[in-house]
Amino acid sequence: MKQWLFKNWAYRLLSLFFAILLFMYVGSTQSSTTNNRSGGSTNSTSLTSDRTQTFSVPLSLTVNSNKYFVTGYPEKVKVHLTGPSALVTTTANTQNFKAYADLSKLGVGEHTVRIQQDGLNNDLRYRFEPATIKVDIQPRETVTYPLTVQYSKRNIASGYQAGQANADVKNVKITGASDQINRIKSVVAQLNVPQNAKSSISSQAIIEALDSKQNTVNVVITPATADVTLPITPGNSKELPIKLEPKGVTDDNESFTLTSATKRVRVFGTKVELSKLSSVKVEVDTSDVKKTSTKRVVLDAKLNNVKGFDPEKITVKITRNN
C-alpha cells in the first residue's frame, strides 16, 4: 500500500515539473514572437519612409475637340509627389497617371481652370505647378489656303538669279480657333537659302501661317512641311580682263608694281551694263605697304557698275618701286 502511494506522489511531482517546463517554453516563444514583430515593424517603417520628388508630365484636356479649339495652355506641368519612397520612385518612373484640365462644361471665352489628376495611388500626396491654367476656348474652324514659297533673295550670290520656286504642295488645310484663322494673311513655306548661294536648292521647308505683320499665327497646318525646289543660275555674264590700280598714294614720287595670278574674271550684270565694260577696275590699297606685300582684294561691283564677279576676291602682290 505504501509503495502504491509513493508511486502516485512521484507521478504527480513529475507532471508538475513538466507543466512548469511547458509554461516556461510557451512564454519564451511568445516573447520571441513579440520581439520579431517589433523588429519587423522597424524594418517596415524604414522601407516605407516618405520622400518627395518633382517631375514634369504631359497635360491633357477634356474638351469637345470637334467643336472647340483651345489655346493658351502649357504642354507639360510639374507635379510634386510625396509618399512612401518606393511608391514615389515607381510612379515617377512609370508615370502611370494623367494630369488634365476639365473643360467639358465650359463655353467660348477665357477661363481659369484647376489641374486635376487621374490614376495616382491613394497613399500619395501631390501638388501641381501651376495649380491652375488660363485657356482660351474658341469655335473650331477648318479652312484651305494656297501655299507660296518664301526665301531671302539677299542670300543669292551676286551675278546669279533665282527662278520660280516650286513646292510639291499647292494648298494646305488649316485648323484653329476662328479668331486666329481670321488673322491669317498668307501661308508660306519658309525655304532656307544659304548665303552666297550659286546653285539650285531642293529642300524640305516648314509651312507657317502669317498675319499682316509677318507674325506666326497659332493654328494647326496640314501638311506641316513641303518639298521645295528653287532654281539658281548665273545671270548675263562675260569674261573680262582685270585692271589693277593703286589706291591711297599721297606722294607723286611713290610708285608700285601690282601683279596677280588672276588675269580675267567673270562679270555678271544686265546686257546694258556688260556692254559698257571692257575691263574690270580693281583698286588696291597701297597706303600701308613699305616694301612688298600680298593682299586679298574684294572686287567692287559698284565701282564697275555691275551685279557681281566670279571669283569675288583675288590675290594681288604689291611691290614698292622706290
Side-chain angles (χ1 to χ4, degrees):
M1 182 67 177
K2 288 182 179 180
Q3 187 178 3
W4 180 83
L5 290 173
F6 175 78
K7 285 183 179 180
N8 278 345
W9 277 107
Y11 287 138
R12 289 175 182 175
L13 290 173
L14 189 61
S15 297
L16 178 60
F17 174 73
F18 280 118
I20 292 171
L21 285 179
L22 181 60
F23 176 78
M24 293 175 64
Y25 173 75
V26 171
S28 173
T29 303
Q30 288 178 343
S31 175
S32 175
T33 302
T34 302
N35 288 336
N36 285 339
R37 287 177 179 173
S38 176
S41 176
T42 302
N43 292 336
S44 176
T45 300
S46 65
L47 289 173
T48 59
S49 59
D50 281 4
R51 67 181 292 243
T52 299
Q53 185 169 343
T54 301
F55 53 94
S56 295
V57 293
L59 176 65
S60 60
L61 302 179
T62 303
V63 65
N64 184 351
S65 57
N66 292 324
K67 184 177 180 181
Y68 299 113
F69 192 87
V70 184
T71 58
Y73 64 94
E75 292 184 0
K76 291 187 175 184
V77 293
K78 286 184 179 180
V79 59
H80 304 272
L81 278 188
T82 301
S85 179
L87 188 55
V88 169
T89 300
T90 300
T91 305
N93 290 338
T94 60
Q95 296 193 12
N96 55 350
F97 69 99
K98 74 172 183 177
Y100 71 96
D102 187 2
L103 314 181
S104 58
K105 297 180 180 180
L106 302 178
V108 173
E110 295 183 350
H111 306 273
T112 299
V113 188
R114 181 174 60 89
I115 298 177
Q116 305 178 60
Q117 64 81 23
D118 181 33
L120 277 179
N121 190 291
N122 292 332
D123 291 333
L124 293 172
R125 301 183 301 278
Y126 66 92
R127 177 173 61 86
F128 285 113
E129 183 184 343
T132 61
I133 58 172
K134 291 183 178 180
V135 297
D136 185 11
I137 303 176
Q138 294 294 327
R140 185 183 185 92
E141 188 175 345
T142 299
V143 297
T144 300
Y145 262 86
L147 178 67
T148 59
V149 177
Q150 191 173 84
Y151 63 92
S152 176
K153 295 182 179 180
R154 292 177 299 178
N155 288 350
I156 306 298
S158 296
Y160 286 76
Q161 58 187 12
Q164 180 67 40
N166 292 308
D168 64 340
V169 177
K170 304 302 180 186
N171 297 287
V172 296
K173 183 184 292 185
I174 297 179
T175 301
S178 57
D179 61 340
Q180 293 296 306
I181 287 181
N182 292 336
R183 289 177 51 207
I184 298 175
K185 295 302 179 184
S186 63
V187 178
V188 300
Q190 298 281 9
L191 180 64
N192 181 30
V193 176
Q195 288 189 349
N196 202 35
K198 295 181 179 179
S199 59
S200 298
I201 297 172
S202 294
S203 179
Q204 190 175 74
I206 296 175
I207 300 175
E208 291 183 308
L210 304 177
D211 63 12
S212 58
K213 296 182 179 179
Q214 297 297 291
N215 296 317
T216 302
V217 180
N218 184 18
V219 290
V220 177
I221 303 175
T222 306
T225 61
D227 292 326
V228 179
T229 300
L230 178 67
I232 299 176
T233 57
N236 296 314
S237 67
K238 68 178 181 180
E239 199 173 78
L240 293 173
I242 62 171
K243 183 180 179 181
L244 302 174
E245 297 181 0
K247 178 183 178 183
V249 177
T250 58
D251 190 341
D252 292 339
N253 295 323
E254 288 182 334
S255 66
F256 297 88
T257 299
L258 308 177
T259 59
S260 175
T262 303
K263 306 301 181 183
R264 300 173 69 86
V265 295
R266 181 159 293 279
V267 186
F268 299 94
T270 65
K271 290 182 179 180
V272 174
E273 290 170 344
L274 295 176
S275 66
K276 296 178 179 180
L277 203 63
S278 57
S279 63
V280 176
K281 185 177 180 180
V282 181
E283 292 185 338
V284 182
D285 185 7
T286 59
S287 59
D288 58 346
V289 178
K290 304 300 181 184
K291 189 173 182 181
T292 301
S293 180
T294 300
K295 292 186 176 184
R296 290 282 289 169
V297 180
V298 178
L299 303 184
D300 192 338
K302 290 184 178 180
L303 178 65
N304 291 275
N305 194 31
V306 291
K307 296 293 185 294
F309 305 95
D310 186 18
E312 296 179 335
K313 297 179 181 180
I314 63 172
T315 300
V316 178
K317 182 179 179 182
I318 309 167
T319 303
R320 190 184 185 100
N321 296 326
N322 51 7

